[in-house]
Amino acid sequence: MQSSKQLYDNLLQQITAYESQEAKEIVFWLMDFYLGIKKIDILSDKSFEKAIDWTNIIERLNNNEPIQYILGETEFYGRRFLVNNSVLIPRPETEELVKYIVDKQKNQFPVISNQLSILDIGTGSGCIAISIAKELPNFKVSAYDISKKALETAKKNAELNKADVTFEKIDILKPSFIHSLIQYPLRHSFNIIVSNPPYVMKQEIDRMQKNVLDFEPHLALFVEDSEPLIFFHAIANFAFNNLTDNGLVAVEINEALGEETANVFRRKGFSKVEIIKDIHQKDRFVSAVLHKKDGK
Ligand code: GLN
């Protein structure tokens, strides 16, 4: 029999890479994940028997590896998602983007129909697409990503969450692809396009934490300083050609580039272009509506 209080103190002492509050959260997380011991059990010093070898786990934590990669999973919008270093760890801001879509579609498409469709560009772990598939069962959900490994993870997450999502390996920046869609604009058409594309400028590397920088996929994070809006231009072009009339596009953005990103959509001819703040009052999302002249 071992004491959960003792283990808590012991683990806390060994985790040196985090400041005290964060280290405490990590210990709670570890004890729950590996032993099913909750905070309340630690308070009442519940005893347990299972032996865990913590050496490797502590070593990885102290090497700044994110706990989500060590555990191989995280939670997003109330569901479990597998994560590994081929995908970004889903962020709370992105949960706000899902919430925005879930709420917004009620006004945007008030008539319940089976025909609605949504595309997630750069799906990564699949967290946006899968959450939407679960929350909005009348939507047909598609998701693109350039990375084969990310798509493998996203597919596993769709299975894990019993979500029906069609995944495709597509590079949104590839001109030939965009070109083919301009030629065949009716090949796909979506009521909503959503994306959390790479938007961190390389010049921002200094402000980034080691656990992000050293472990998360740079492919999913970074853009060149000379072209920080490259993905938003591609998404705006793609959305212009592939949204239905009154279709909605909503993207997560770099907080430093709110107006600039909104302008990409304004210039392309979108209406109702809005910059939306996240819970920390930072410019975090842009949403826009496409009104087509021919109404189709
Ligand atoms: N918000 C993430 C970060 O700053 C970046 C996500 C992204 O580039 N799409 O770590």
Side-chain angles (χ1 to χ4, degrees):
M1 283 294 194
Q2 303 172 64
S3 142
S4 52
K5 246 185 191 155
Q6 250 169 36
L7 176 66
Y8 173 81
D9 289 338
N10 190 334
L11 290 174
L12 200 55
Q13 227 170 30
Q14 292 184 66
I15 297 175
T16 51
Y18 292 86
E19 51 85 22
S20 131
Q21 195 50 41
E22 219 168 348
K24 284 178 188 161
E25 292 302 326
I26 287 174
V27 175
F28 288 136
W29 203 340
L30 289 175
M31 289 181 66
D32 186 12
F33 185 85
Y34 289 104
L35 296 165
I37 294 174
K38 312 271 178 208
K39 270 185 205 177
I40 180 78
D41 301 325
I42 302 170
L43 285 178
S44 60
D45 198 12
K46 190 176 165 181
S47 54
F48 65 96
E49 288 188 44
K50 195 171 165 191
I52 305 276
D53 183 358
W54 298 98
T55 325
N56 181 257
I57 298 164
I58 299 285
E59 202 177 289
R60 288 171 72 181
L61 279 170
N62 285 339
N63 191 29
N64 289 106
E65 185 169 348
I67 183 164
Q68 294 93 334
Y69 288 154
I70 299 173
L71 308 184
E73 62 174 66
T74 192
E75 197 192 293
F76 182 85
Y77 218 86
R79 299 185 178 84
R80 255 180 86 210
F81 284 84
L82 306 176
V83 290
N84 54 60
N85 62 7
S86 73
V87 297
L88 282 190
I89 296 164
R91 309 285 203 266
E93 294 90 307
T94 310
E95 290 180 314
E96 292 185 53
L97 179 60
V98 171
K99 179 80 173 77
Y100 177 81
I101 300 271
V102 167
D103 292 345
K104 183 90 179 173
Q105 58 84 32
K106 287 183 206 140
N107 304 324
Q108 197 75 16
F109 311 105
V111 183
I112 301 290
S113 139
N114 292 327
Q115 303 300 317
L116 296 174
S117 63
I118 181 162
L119 169 68
D120 175 20
I121 297 174
T123 196
S125 64
C127 63
I128 298 176
I130 292 165
S131 303
I132 285 176
K134 298 301 284 185
E135 297 295 319
L136 304 174
N138 59 324
F139 272 81
K140 184 180 173 310
V141 184
S142 307
Y144 296 166
D145 205 284
I146 187 180
S147 155
K148 192 166 159 261
K149 276 192 155 173
L151 286 169
E152 280 167 15
T153 307
K155 282 179 192 165
K156 281 189 198 151
N157 281 325
E159 256 170 59
L160 180 70
N161 286 291
K162 300 189 175 56
D164 189 6
V165 178
T166 308
F167 293 100
E168 261 186 89
K169 186 175 179 308
I170 278 173
D171 177 359
I172 193 71
L173 297 182
K174 210 170 173 187
S176 61
F177 168 64
I178 301 292
H179 189 67
S180 76
L181 288 159
I182 291 166
Q183 284 183 329
Y184 307 108
L186 296 178
R187 203 179 74 163
H188 295 280
S189 91
F190 302 101
N191 301 94
I192 303 179
I193 292 178
V194 60
S195 182
N196 172 21
Y199 59 66
V200 181
M201 292 177 276
K202 294 206 168 137
Q203 68 190 33
E204 296 177 286
I205 279 185
D206 289 351
R207 70 147 178 89
M208 294 187 79
Q209 285 178 346
K210 213 170 148 48
N211 52 4
V212 176
L213 207 52
D214 289 357
F215 291 93
E216 296 204 80
H218 287 197
L219 181 68
L221 283 173
F222 289 112
V223 283
E224 295 298 330
D225 296 341
S226 57
E227 278 187 299
L229 300 177
I230 185 167
F231 283 96
F232 298 103
H233 283 288
I235 292 164
N237 282 334
F238 181 86
F240 191 83
N241 292 315
N242 296 284
L243 273 179
T244 54
D245 183 39
N246 201 33
L248 175 78
V249 55
V251 291
E252 188 173 317
I253 63 160
N254 187 322
E255 69 200 54
L257 300 171
E259 275 305 322
E260 291 87 337
T261 313
N263 281 336
V264 171
F265 289 89
R266 289 190 187 111
R267 287 197 195 113
K268 190 72 204 171
F270 285 83
S271 328
K272 297 187 189 160
V273 180
E274 285 175 58
I275 302 172
I276 300 151
K277 291 192 189 299
D278 64 20
I279 202 170
H280 305 294
Q281 294 306 312
K282 303 217 163 122
D283 289 351
R284 184 61 63 204
F285 314 103
V286 164
S287 87
V289 172
L290 186 67
H291 288 137
K292 291 192 166 178
K293 290 199 179 68
D294 60 4
K296 281 185 197 155

